Amino acid sequence: MITGDVWFWFLAGLATLLVGSSKGGLPLVGMLAVPIVALQISPVVAAGLLLPIYIVSDVYGLWLYRKSYDLRNIKIIVPAAAIGIVIGWATVSITSDDLVKLLVGIIGLVYCADVVMKARRTIAPRPADLPRGIFWGSIAGFTSFVSHSGAPPYQMYVLPQRLEKMVYAGTSTIVFAIINLLKLPPYWFLGQINVGSLRVAAILAPIAITGAFLGYRLTKVLPEKIFFRIVEVALFLVSLKLVYDGIIGLWGAP
């Protein structure tokens, strides 16, 4: 880890701000954090460095959304995500990060295409249900474990429910706060988190808290329709980048 490099600290600070913003109510922007830090260090090291920052931001996010959440979704998604995390831990030696990026990106693009096709029709909100929740929750847990990219599978399940925006943001924050805590022991045992990375995370923590506050304020002031449109556009852009990164990683640059 190049902790004496100015470029490293700039990228790490930007990534930390995005992580904090994601905990303030904009979960998709946090997915950009690992790719940003990975411009300077290994993606695996970047994921380990950022997990404690996610957890610090989660504490503030939990306080911000302590009254805004959907308990049924949390009860369904969290156990399913735990299954996905166990699978990710068990298969870490044979799992390709690039393949996961490609699959996660495709999931996000499929959802965005579905949104566009349904835009001209009035479709009733789809309530939370156990089969879909277990399926998408386990995928979210797996992809979150591998590369902190659990948001697209999570969106596939939650966005069709059309939750009120603050409830949606609070549910997302609480779900991923629990997922991040569940990832902590395996990350430690795999060596992705160590004393050195914890020192760096401690230095960056104030930036994460600032980002969480900014994300929360932005979530509150944005009209609901614009808020979800931004989430969907962000999902499309992030998914597009994940597909590109996955293809380049698996088959090499053209």
Side-chain angles (χ1 to χ4, degrees):
M1 192 179 300
I2 317 171
T3 54
D5 191 294
V6 174
W7 183 236
F8 164 80
W9 284 108
F10 172 77
L11 294 175
L14 176 59
T16 300
L17 190 66
L18 292 173
V19 169
S21 298
S22 74
K23 300 307 170 182
L26 301 171
L28 283 165
V29 299
M31 287 181 58
L32 299 174
V34 171
I36 286 173
V37 180
L39 293 172
Q40 188 71 1
I41 61 177
S42 158
V44 173
V45 175
L49 170 67
L50 289 170
L51 181 57
I53 296 171
Y54 274 99
I55 292 173
V56 169
S57 304
D58 286 334
V59 174
Y60 189 48
L62 290 172
W63 181 79
L64 289 173
Y65 291 103
R66 62 193 181 279
K67 296 180 181 179
S68 302
Y69 56 87
D70 185 277
L71 185 59
R72 176 166 169 76
N73 272 308
I74 295 171
K75 287 181 175 180
I76 292 173
I77 297 170
V78 168
I83 295 171
I85 290 170
V86 171
I87 294 172
W89 189 5
T91 61
V92 67
S93 62
I94 60 173
T95 300
S96 163
D97 287 355
D98 293 313
L99 179 59
V100 172
K101 288 179 183 178
L102 181 60
L103 292 176
V104 171
I106 290 173
I107 288 170
L109 291 179
V110 168
Y111 175 80
C112 292
D114 188 56
V115 168
V116 172
M117 288 187 292
K118 292 177 178 177
R120 297 181 181 179
R121 292 180 289 160
T122 302
I123 299 175
R126 189 168 188 174
D129 64 273
L130 199 57
R132 291 177 62 254
I134 292 175
F135 177 76
W136 290 115
S138 60
I139 294 178
F142 176 78
T143 56
S144 180
F145 177 84
V146 174
S147 59
H148 299 319
S149 56
Y154 171 82
Q155 307 293 357
M156 288 289 288
Y157 173 62
V158 176
L159 280 180
Q161 298 177 33
R162 299 185 190 175
L163 300 173
E164 188 271 325
K165 70 171 182 178
M166 297 305 286
V167 173
Y168 160 83
T171 303
S172 303
T173 299
I174 293 170
V175 163
F176 283 103
I178 299 172
I179 288 175
N180 288 332
L181 282 176
L182 292 174
K183 291 190 296 187
L184 192 56
Y187 265 54
W188 180 267
F189 287 119
L190 290 170
Q192 287 182 254
I193 296 176
N194 52 50
V195 175
S197 66
L198 289 175
R199 289 198 189 103
V200 175
I203 295 171
L204 295 170
I207 300 176
I209 299 300
T210 302
F213 175 76
L214 293 175
Y216 178 73
R217 295 300 301 171
L218 184 60
T219 300
K220 285 200 74 171
V221 301
L222 282 174
E224 192 154 318
K225 187 174 181 179
I226 295 176
F227 172 80
F228 283 106
R229 188 64 66 236
I230 290 174
V231 171
E232 289 163 355
V233 170
L235 175 60
F236 173 76
L237 294 175
V238 170
S239 299
L240 206 59
K241 185 178 189 311
L242 287 171
V243 168
Y244 174 80
D245 289 347
I247 291 173
I248 293 300
L250 288 170
W251 290 289

